[in-house]
């Protein structure tokens, strides 16, 4: 079998998102492979990605992405190295560069990445890190090029990745919880649930676009929508009284601490 440019180990939701992003960005499907152990899932991937090699085991490749559960990362990394991968990215939470290096051996460059689930719709936030080395910038350039196909990418030292996990990795769940609460609140004040769901979803989408599309900070945007003595000021007073700001601080801190525990 001719070497493929990139072999992605793990055909789950995140693996599918990465494949979809790469193909949508113009990557030749013939240069890609995905490894999936479940036969039914392999059949789905064959239908979804014509031209991509779909296999039950790692194929010869020049680079690889590991998108499996943390306990399986070391084995997948070793298999990629054995099949010729010169660069390997892991997107598993808590798996350190040291673990990746031990599994890959001395040859391949290894990169650790922390994406989040909005990558499934092309709006992910991913942080990447690698070891100090002569080819570190080249490895990060390559990893960023791949991962940018599903969203924004930032480069950080590995010591910051647990904090990334606590903020953007776990962050979508915090937003979904807020969405749930807004829907329930809409029902409480008299809206039908379908209308409350529509309004809450669009409100979150619009607010996110304002935040990412403006030079103004979140604090500035909040101030702009808060008239003195108005309805928004009354609502914000209740959120502050309930300690919502502090609860979010504690949530990010707790998720960060748990990520550190998993890495240890």
């Amino acid at each position: 079998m001719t070497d493929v440019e990139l072999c992605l180990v793990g055909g789950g939701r995140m693996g599918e998102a990465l494949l979809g992003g790469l193909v949508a960005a113009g990557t030749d499907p013939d240069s890609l492979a995905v490894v999936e152990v479940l036969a039914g899932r392999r059949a789905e991937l064959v239908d979804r990605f014509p031209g991509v090699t779909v296999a039950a085991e790692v194929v010869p490749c020049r680079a690889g992405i590991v998108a499996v559960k943390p306990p399986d990362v070391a084995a997948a990394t070793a298999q990629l190295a054995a099949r010729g991968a010169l660069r390997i990215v892991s997107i598993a939470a808590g798996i350190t560069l040291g673990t990746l290096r031990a599994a890959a051996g001395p040859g391949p460059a290894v990169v650790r990445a922390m994406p989040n689930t909005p990558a499934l719709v092309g709006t992910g936030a991913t942080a990447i890190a690698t070891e100090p080395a002569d080819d570190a910038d080249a490895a990060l350039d390559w990893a960023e090029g791949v991962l940018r196909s599903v969203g924004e990418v930032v480069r950080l030292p590995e010591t910051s990745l647990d904090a990334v996990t606590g903020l953007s990795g776990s962050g979508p769940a915090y937003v979904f919880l807020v969405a749930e609460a807004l829907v329930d609140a809409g029902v409480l004040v008299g809206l039908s649930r379908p209308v409350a769901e529509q309004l809450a979803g669009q409100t979150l989408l619009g607010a996110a676009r304002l935040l990412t599309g403006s030079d103004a900070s979140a604090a500035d945007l909040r101030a702009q929508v808060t008239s003195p003595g108005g309805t928004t000021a009354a609502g914000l007073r209740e959120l502050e009284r309930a300690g919502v700001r502090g609860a979010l601080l504690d949530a990010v801190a707790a998720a960060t601490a748990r990520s550190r525990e998993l890495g240890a």
Side-chain angles (χ1 to χ4, degrees):
M1 177 183 290
T2 303
D3 288 11
V4 297
E5 290 294 328
L6 178 63
C7 180
L8 197 152
V9 185
R13 294 184 71 203
M14 193 61 75
E16 181 178 3
L18 287 167
L19 277 176
L22 287 165
V23 172
T27 303
D28 183 356
D30 290 339
S31 71
L32 301 172
V34 58
V35 179
E36 173 54 51
V37 297
L38 299 177
R41 181 59 174 160
R42 286 200 301 275
E44 293 175 0
L45 292 169
V46 168
D47 290 340
R48 172 79 171 81
F49 299 106
V52 173
T53 298
V54 181
E57 59 184 23
V58 176
V59 301
C61 58
R62 296 184 176 88
I65 296 179
V66 179
V68 298
K69 296 183 183 301
D72 301 323
V73 168
T77 300
Q79 290 164 15
L80 284 167
R83 299 297 267 167
L86 299 178
R87 291 170 177 160
I88 300 172
V89 175
S90 167
I91 64 171
I95 303 300
T96 66
L97 288 168
T99 298
L100 296 175
R101 171 56 63 212
V110 292
V111 176
R112 179 180 169 189
M114 184 63 236
N116 63 4
T117 54
L120 297 169
V121 291
T123 54
T126 302
I128 57 175
T130 192
E131 307 165 307
D134 291 341
D135 61 347
D137 286 342
L140 289 174
D141 287 344
W142 172 79
E144 183 173 341
V146 171
L147 294 166
R148 198 185 293 121
S149 68
V150 291
E152 297 293 320
V153 180
V154 297
R155 302 183 186 191
L156 294 171
E158 185 180 19
T159 53
S160 296
L161 291 193
D162 292 316
V164 171
T165 301
L167 177 59
S168 59
S170 300
Y174 314 150
V175 175
F176 298 146
L177 181 61
V178 170
E180 283 185 78
L182 285 174
V183 171
D184 289 341
V187 173
L188 176 66
V189 296
L191 299 175
S192 70
R193 186 162 293 275
V195 168
E197 289 174 345
Q198 180 181 2
L199 292 176
Q202 189 64 24
T203 297
L204 290 171
L205 174 63
R209 286 184 175 172
L210 277 173
L211 182 60
T212 58
S214 170
D215 292 333
S217 68
D220 290 338
L221 291 170
R222 176 188 53 76
Q224 290 171 16
V225 77
T226 308
S227 301
T231 58
T232 304
L236 287 171
R237 180 188 61 190
E238 294 305 313
L239 291 175
E240 295 288 6
R241 180 181 294 169
V244 170
R245 185 190 301 267
L248 286 171
L249 293 172
D250 290 344
V252 173
T256 299
R258 181 56 179 155
S259 179
R260 292 189 180 118
E261 290 173 1
L262 293 172

